[in-house]
Amino acid sequence: MYLKVSGSKVIFLILYIDDILLATNDLGLLHETKKFLSRNFEVKDMGEVSYVIGIEIFHNRSQGLLSLSQKTYINKILEKFKMERCLTSLVLI
């Protein structure tokens, strides 16, 4: 993971094998980083992310909300061990 901070601007670059996830609070910094990457590497912009490494990403910009879910992964594991009918509850701390 790479983090760049410039005043109140911040960008995270998360690399997993050959996938890059960029997260920032400044669109200008996002475009600058994408330009830098495309000048130095062969890249394909896949647009806004909704799913990465088994994690669903939900965001509501107008409300400033970001949420992550591994529900699909959990259901897959429950099915694997024949426990899809068990009672589950998730507690956020």
Side-chain angles (χ1 to χ4, degrees), residues 12-87:
F12 292 90
L13 184 147
I14 298 101
L15 177 65
Y16 180 76
I17 303 175
D18 63 349
D19 293 325
I20 296 174
L21 177 65
L22 297 172
T24 184
N25 64 346
D26 183 80
L27 287 176
L29 186 56
L30 175 67
H31 295 302
E32 176 186 326
T33 304
K34 286 168 131 181
K35 281 183 189 177
F36 171 81
L37 291 171
S38 65
R39 281 194 307 265
N40 293 283
F41 305 98
E42 185 178 331
V43 296
K44 181 178 179 183
D45 188 345
M46 303 294 288
E48 289 193 24
V49 67
S50 60
Y51 196 84
V52 66
I53 60 168
I55 301 170
E56 290 179 85
I57 301 172
F58 305 96
H59 45 84
N60 183 322
R61 286 186 188 355
S62 64
Q63 293 181 352
L65 299 175
L66 176 68
S67 108
L68 307 175
S69 171
Q70 287 190 293
K71 180 180 177 180
T72 304
Y73 173 75
I74 292 167
N75 288 334
K76 182 178 176 181
I77 296 299
L78 289 172
E79 287 175 20
K80 178 179 179 178
F81 292 100
K82 311 263 188 262
M83 296 181 63
E84 56 273 283
R85 301 189 77 197
C86 74
L87 297 175

